[in-house]
Every structure is written in C-alpha cells, then in structure tokens.
Amino acid sequence: MLYQFYEAQRSLMEPFSDFAQAASKLYAPGAIWGQLPMAQRMAAGYDLLYRLGKDYEKPEFNIKGVKVEGDDVVIQEVIELDKPFCQLRRFKRFTDDPQTLQTLKAQPVVLVVAPLSGHYSTLLRDTVRTLLQGHKVYITDWKNARIVPMSEGEFHLDDYVNYVQEFIRLLQGEYGNCHVVSVCQPTVPVLAAVSLMASRGEQTPLTMTMMGGPIDARKSPTAVNNLATNKSFEWFENNVIYRVPQGFPGEGRRVYPGFLQHTGFVAMNPDRHASSHYDYFKDLIKGDDASAEAHRNFYDEYNAVLDMDADYYLETIRTVFQEFGLVNGTWDVKNPQGQVERVRPQDIRTTALLTVEGELDDISGSGQTKAAHALCTGIPSAQQEHYEAKGAGHYGIFSGRRWRDMVYPKAAAFIAAHDQPQKRAGSTTPITAEDTIRAPQKRVAQAATKAVRKSAAAPAKTRRAAR
C-alpha cells in the first residue's frame, strides 16, 4: 500500500505546488506584488516550496550541438532499437563541411551503458556531450518500469546482460567494431555480457571502459554495500517491493519504486541537501541567477527517478552484493534461447580494459572497479590500464570538470590507442586510409594534395561539372 499512499500524497500536494509556483511569479520583480516589502523573500520562499513539492518528470538530453575540432556539429537523437525495457538511443551528428564529415565518419563508435539504478540515463548527459566531440555515441536509455505493460513480461538481470549483447552485435554489424563504456552499476552486467560473447567465440568490443562500478563489492565497502549485506534477501523482497498502482500502463507490476531509491540517496547526505536548498533560497534573494539555475538543473536531474522491475532489482542485490557471483565464478546467465551459461571473464582475450575510480567515491569504494583486472586474466597486461581520478567523487568521474579535464582525456586516448578501421554497413571493405583519424594539420594537407592530383588528372569538362 505504500506506493498507493505515495501517489495519493503526490496528488494532494500537486495543487499546493502549483499555487506556490503562481505565488512566486506574483511576487517576482516587475509583477503585480513585486514592489511590496519583503516581496523578493516571498518570491524565493514560494519558489523553494514549489520545487520541493513538484513532480519531476524524465528530463531530456537536450544536446543540440557540439564542436568537433573547432567546427559546429548539429546533434539529432534517433531511436535505433526499441526494446520493452530499453531504447538504444543514437546521437547522430550532422555537418555540411566535407572535411568535418570525413572526420566524423572515421571516429570510434562508443556504446555508453547507463546505470539502471534509480536515475534516468540523462544523468550521463555530460558524459555523452563530451564523448560526442570525438566519437559516434549510442546510449542505453532504460525505461521506467511502471510504464511497461504487464504483457511485456518481467525483466531480469539476465535480460539486462542479453540486451547489452544485442546492442553490441547491432553496432558491430553496422560498423564492424565498437567500444563500450559502462558507468557504475552496469560495469557488472557489461563484463558478464562480454565474457559470454568471448566464451562463445563471438567478436567482442575493442575496449571496455569501466567507471566506478561494484565489480567486487567486498573491497572498501560503502554505505550502499553495507545495506545490501546487512539485510537479508527476504528483507528486501518483503519491505521494498510494491506493485504499480492504477493509472499507469504497468499497473500491477512488481517494482522497486524510484521514490524509495531517491529517499535513500537523500538519506546518505541529508545535511548537504538541506544546505543546498537553503543556498538556493539565498541565491534567489540576492538575484544570483546563475547559481540558482545551476541548482535547478542539478535537482531537475537528481529528483527524477524511475521504478525498477522487482526481479532485476532483487537479482542484482543477491548476485552482486550478497553472493558476489562474478568474482566467485558462480554466476550463471540464461540466454534468450533458455540455455544457462557460466560467466567466465578469463575467456576475454581481444578486448582492452580500462578501469576508472574516483579517489573520494562514496558509492563504489576504492578497489571495487579495479578488481576487474584480476578477473580478466586472458587480456594481455599491455592492454590493461587503471586510472584513479584525484579529488573526484562518484559523480565526478563521469560529470563535471574532473570528468572533462581528467577522466575523458584518459578514456579517449585509451579508445584511440586500440581503435581499428571501421567497415561500412553491408560492406566487407574497410574504410579507406584517407578516412582514418589523423592530427588535423596532417589530414588537411593530405586531403588538399589528393584534391590537387585528382583535379590535374581529370578533363576540364569533368572539373567544371564537379565545380
């Protein structure tokens, strides 16, 4: 009944939230009551009440463009594959500059596997925006389980692993190869997916970049790890699993509600959140629009949460945080054909591995992600690297200044060092040498030389037609 009570409370608060928003506008500078004494404080107070009581919907990525080697490139989001519980989203890049187009064609293909742990994949907006400067980018956009009809069946941890394999095969079929970047929770199922592909003799990604994930949750346990180990599996099943109430497409589905996950997030640092909201109130009074907007942007993302299918959530708790199935070599995954396969990371041989940890990560402790190297004994040591981002917390390794200035250059260099020429869709011929990535000055010079030679060899009539 907790979910029903939550929805009833949310519905009850909605008109008060709307009232607070309207009142804030009435007291704003230039509005009808904006000249009254204490008007700015009243406007700030009502605005804060509105944000504390409003319902937060799924945000948009809202990435309209990026710069590639100094040139403006337009971004369009495309749904490449629509699965019952996930969409494979592509950020397609457009330019009318021929030289920039050649650059875009040859850049590495990266599949970003976003967490399914309470927040939407838009939490990785900064990750995607930065990667787009030098890579073709796809991302797993997980759906809110409460909008997935019961007719679509359940979603298990095995399904997550199978989804990742399907997405990898799709990109390999399109480009001939790809790289995989996983952030936090998906490091475990991604390692399982690539391990199973290697065990079957399938082509595996060129690289795996794993950032801040619980590969071995026994190392440097955090509050998140302790909760999972101190409570029994039955406790989680009996206390945090509820059915989606009426009014949603997924009515009746057993889920771990997003509002419970959000409550847990806030409970980890309640003083920090209280201070942040008070600072927002003061910024509104001072008229510091930039700081106020930064607060809104952060909490629009942080407060937007999704429900997870109960089977997936419970199986993750048991496999990753209680039984440590991956590191103990006891994890079996059922493939779409119903066959059970053992996860064997030691079978991976042709995929380079980079692990990234934040020095101050309070969600995935020190050493948890690095543990992947000890499992992937089949990967040559020359193709394994580990990087610790000094001064970075959990979110800092994939978002913000430390991600852009410290982690991304390391990840981009690692991907470039192990990249290979791509093959166009439906072709067995690799992209020509002229399309491969080079330093900008060298590429421009070679392109110019080629154009001159072609022009000199062509008849005048042909050259006029080309012009």
Side-chain angles (χ1 to χ4, degrees):
M1 292 294 292
L2 181 62
Y3 206 141
Q4 284 80 358
F5 284 137
Y6 170 79
E7 281 300 313
Q9 177 265 339
R10 188 184 63 81
S11 299
L12 182 64
M13 286 295 297
E14 189 171 358
F16 292 99
S17 177
D18 292 341
F19 170 79
Q21 182 185 31
S24 175
K25 294 178 180 179
L26 288 174
Y27 284 102
I32 185 172
W33 294 337
Q35 302 303 317
L36 295 177
M38 305 290 288
Q40 199 160 2
R41 286 182 173 272
M42 294 293 290
Y46 277 121
D47 187 275
L48 181 59
L49 285 175
Y50 162 68
R51 294 196 60 80
L52 290 175
K54 74 185 290 282
D55 186 33
Y56 289 85
E57 300 292 338
K58 177 185 176 181
E60 299 290 336
F61 278 99
N62 200 32
I63 303 175
K64 304 301 183 182
V66 296
K67 283 189 176 295
V68 177
E69 297 187 354
D71 294 324
D72 291 323
V73 173
V74 177
I75 306 298
Q76 178 185 3
E77 293 182 29
V78 179
I79 304 302
E80 288 290 317
L81 189 60
D82 193 358
K83 304 283 288 182
F85 288 87
C86 183
Q87 292 178 330
L88 180 62
R89 189 175 296 269
R90 177 187 181 186
F91 296 86
K92 196 168 185 178
R93 302 174 298 175
F94 293 89
T95 179
D96 57 3
D97 181 75
Q99 191 59 47
T100 303
L101 182 60
Q102 289 294 88
T103 301
L104 300 181
K105 287 180 178 180
Q107 288 178 337
V109 183
V110 175
L111 170 63
V112 179
V113 184
L116 178 54
S117 56
H119 284 117
Y120 288 97
S121 60
T122 50
L123 190 68
L124 304 187
R125 183 183 296 103
D126 198 22
T127 314
V128 172
R129 183 187 292 111
T130 308
L131 283 169
L132 281 169
Q133 299 172 21
H135 308 81
K136 302 182 181 79
V137 180
Y138 294 73
I139 193 170
T140 57
D141 192 8
W142 301 101
K143 297 181 182 179
N144 192 335
R146 73 179 183 181
I147 67 171
V148 181
M150 289 284 289
S151 59
E152 296 290 356
E154 300 165 343
F155 185 72
H156 297 262
L157 182 57
D158 292 353
D159 297 314
Y160 192 119
V161 175
N162 294 329
Y163 271 30
V164 172
Q165 293 180 80
E166 184 175 355
F167 296 154
I168 292 173
R169 294 189 193 106
L170 178 67
L171 298 189
Q172 289 174 341
E174 178 69 20
Y175 301 101
N177 59 58
C178 72
H179 305 261
V180 177
V181 173
S182 54
V183 181
C184 192
Q185 166 271 323
T187 56
V188 175
V190 165
L191 184 54
V194 177
S195 299
L196 293 170
M197 295 178 74
S199 298
R200 299 190 208 104
E202 292 187 60
Q203 178 186 354
T204 58
L206 298 176
T207 67
M208 293 185 296
T209 300
M210 299 186 168
M211 303 195 296
I215 297 294
D216 188 350
R218 299 172 301 181
K219 298 181 180 295
S220 306
T222 63
V224 175
N225 307 138
N226 292 332
L227 174 64
T229 54
N230 293 336
K231 302 291 185 181
S232 67
F233 180 83
E234 290 72 24
W235 183 90
F236 284 99
E237 190 170 27
N238 295 329
N239 290 276
V240 300
I241 302 301
Y242 297 91
R243 292 194 180 274
V244 176
Q246 293 180 346
F248 297 98
E251 175 184 344
R253 179 179 296 280
R254 294 172 67 246
V255 298
Y256 174 56
F259 66 84
L260 284 182
Q261 183 78 325
H262 179 261
T263 302
F265 289 147
V266 174
M268 291 179 64
N269 297 287
D271 294 339
R272 185 185 304 173
H273 291 288
S275 298
S276 179
H277 290 306
Y278 182 58
D279 289 342
Y280 174 66
F281 174 74
K282 292 190 295 183
D283 289 336
L284 291 175
I285 294 176
K286 293 184 297 183
D288 188 347
D289 295 335
S291 298
E293 185 62 21
H295 174 96
R296 284 191 287 265
N297 290 337
F298 175 80
Y299 279 99
D300 282 348
E301 192 71 57
Y302 190 82
N303 292 338
V305 290
L306 52 75
D307 297 348
M308 291 175 273
D309 188 273
D311 294 290
Y312 160 78
Y313 173 77
L314 293 172
E315 289 165 7
T316 299
I317 291 291
R318 178 163 55 192
T319 302
V320 180
F321 297 103
Q322 293 185 344
E323 297 180 352
F324 310 104
L326 178 62
V327 292
N328 287 331
T330 58
W331 186 11
D332 294 323
V333 173
K334 182 182 292 186
N335 64 27
Q337 291 73 41
Q339 301 168 329
V340 176
E341 301 172 295
R342 177 61 54 90
V343 176
R344 294 174 48 84
Q346 62 268 32
D347 290 344
I348 303 174
R349 301 185 184 280
T350 58
T351 299
L353 173 63
L354 170 65
T355 55
V356 179
E357 293 181 346
E359 180 187 21
L360 306 179
D361 195 331
D362 59 352
I363 294 181
S364 295
S366 177
Q368 292 188 10
T369 313
K370 187 179 180 181
H373 294 282
L375 300 177
C376 299
T377 55
I379 302 176
S381 58
Q383 297 184 18
Q384 299 189 42
E385 293 186 33
H386 176 71
Y387 178 69
E388 182 180 272
K390 299 298 182 183
H394 184 72
Y395 295 99
I397 60 177
F398 62 85
S399 179
R401 178 177 55 83
R402 287 187 174 86
W403 149 250
R404 293 189 293 269
D405 297 344
M406 299 168 61
V407 179
Y408 171 69
K410 181 69 176 179
F414 184 80
I415 290 173
H418 298 90
D419 195 35
Q420 296 179 8
Q422 300 163 23
K423 298 176 182 178
R424 293 188 175 91
S427 172
T428 58
T429 304
I431 293 178
T432 58
E434 288 78 13
D435 291 342
T436 56
I437 300 175
R438 302 182 177 87
Q441 298 86 349
K442 183 177 180 181
R443 185 177 63 248
V444 171
Q446 289 180 333
T449 301
K450 182 182 177 182
V452 169
R453 290 174 179 171
K454 183 177 180 181
S455 177
K461 182 178 179 181
T462 305
R463 293 201 301 271
R464 286 195 298 272
R467 288 196 294 270

